[in-house]
Amino acid sequence: MKIFISADMEGATGVVRVAQTDHREKEYEFGCKMMLHDVKAVIEGALAAGADSVLVNDSHWRMINLDISEFGFGDNVRLISGSAKLLCMVEGFDTADAAFFVGYHAMAGTACATIDHTMSGSAVYSVTLNGKELGETGLNAAVCAQRNIPLALVTGDAAVCAEASELLGCGLVTACVKEARGREAAECLLPEASADVLREAASEAVQRARAGKSPVMDIGDGSFDLRIAFHNSKQCDEAAILPGTERLDGRTVRVTGRDMTDMMRMALSLISLAAS
Ligand SMILES: [Zn+2]
């Protein structure tokens, strides 16, 4: 069984403030350390449960956060490092038997959720797919679903675990490493305790995936209506220049299609334009 891990930083053990996830800030070193801590615990749990190989995609910001020299596994573990990548947070997912989203965070606008945002905190107000508002968990799970790849594990704060469970049902394994007490404050498990939680959850996720019990997100009949609302109309002006988009109102553009991979690429392009 081959496991794909999309690793973000905001949902890692002990990470509570944006500064800890920002490479321009001195607190960033801590964020990298804890992201690596959580990823390693998940890999250990997956391998202990019999996963044959693990491919990790560094999925946060510049995507060079994980120090490959600190991994310490054999040649059955690999790391995709750097950006830009065609599929961003799920680059490399397509050859896996199951996906894990590690260190994830809740969608923009979630109350009491650590560093809640959707793809770009500065540009994106909300994203909806076929009328349902989704965060990064839902959008990336939808890309996996088009190839029939299940999402077996989500780790992060209590808010993202709840968001993921609501979306994917009880077949999904979640591992909660902290409970937010605000956007930039949380009650956190200590690293030793969270490592145990993450290892156990990863092992259980591998077992469920092997038994065919991990959920594939329901993406309907395969026709997609993706709407992105930006924080302001100037950002929308920039995004709406891209051919194939339809401007719905001051802050919202819409794209439609039948391929979720293309929809994700459109979303990445629109957000990149809006944030420029
Ligand atoms: Zn991130």
Side-chain angles (χ1 to χ4, degrees):
M1 167 151 288
K2 182 173 178 181
I3 301 297
F4 169 78
I5 296 178
S6 172
D8 206 352
M9 188 183 282
E10 290 85 349
T13 302
V15 171
V16 298
R17 285 187 71 91
V18 173
Q20 295 168 325
T21 71
D22 183 340
H23 57 274
R24 299 162 297 191
E25 304 284 348
K26 65 180 187 305
E27 293 89 348
Y28 169 66
E29 197 179 325
F30 172 78
C32 288
K33 186 167 118 182
M34 298 318 296
M35 179 180 179
L36 181 68
H37 167 274
D38 284 18
V39 168
K40 284 180 73 172
V42 167
I43 295 171
E44 285 163 11
L47 295 177
D52 299 304
S53 66
V54 179
L55 177 61
V56 180
N57 180 31
D58 192 324
S59 299
H60 173 72
W61 207 321
R62 298 179 304 165
M63 305 186 172
I64 49 170
N65 312 283
L66 292 167
D67 182 348
I68 197 167
S69 70
E70 294 291 332
F71 265 54
F73 296 99
D75 64 2
N76 56 347
V77 177
R78 292 195 179 195
L79 172 68
I80 299 173
S81 186
S83 65
K85 298 173 277 204
L86 219 53
L87 287 178
C88 197
M89 298 181 82
V90 282
E91 179 75 18
F93 81 99
D94 50 321
T95 57
D97 298 302
F100 290 3
F101 295 169
V102 173
Y104 265 47
H105 53 79
M107 74 175 83
T110 306
C112 222
T114 302
I115 318 175
D116 61 301
H117 67 279
T118 303
M119 297 168 87
S120 162
S122 60
V124 176
Y125 181 81
S126 68
V127 178
T128 64
L129 183 69
N130 295 345
K132 180 160 180 65
E133 190 172 353
L134 297 177
E136 293 170 20
T137 302
L139 293 165
N140 290 327
V143 174
C144 293
Q146 178 128 44
R147 299 287 184 91
N148 211 31
I149 293 172
L151 179 58
L153 175 70
V154 172
T155 86
D157 71 348
V160 75
C161 290
E163 178 183 314
S165 295
E166 189 268 324
L167 197 61
L168 288 135
C170 58
L172 176 74
V173 180
T174 60
C176 171
V177 300
K178 58 195 169 191
E179 267 187 57
R181 294 193 171 218
R183 189 172 195 264
E184 290 195 306
E187 181 175 330
C188 307
L189 290 183
L190 301 187
E192 294 76 11
S194 78
D196 285 343
V197 168
L198 292 164
R199 264 188 231 106
E200 272 179 37
S203 290
E204 190 188 348
V206 166
Q207 285 158 8
R208 279 201 207 177
R210 192 186 289 122
K213 292 178 177 165
S214 297
V216 177
M217 186 173 151
D218 181 1
I219 51 170
D221 67 357
S223 56
F224 302 109
D225 177 319
L226 181 81
R227 299 176 191 211
I228 303 177
F230 298 99
H231 286 298
N232 64 59
S233 55
K234 174 75 164 72
Q235 292 169 326
C236 200
D237 290 344
E238 301 285 355
I241 291 170
L242 200 68
T245 61
E246 181 187 351
R247 179 112 180 215
L248 296 181
D249 58 35
R251 59 165 59 163
T252 312
V253 289
R254 173 169 83 147
V255 287
T256 57
R258 297 196 64 82
D259 185 300
M260 191 55 214
T261 303
D262 286 348
M263 302 306 284
M264 176 58 86
R265 290 170 63 181
M266 277 299 285
L268 294 168
S269 304
L270 290 166
I271 291 165
S272 173
L273 282 168
S276 67

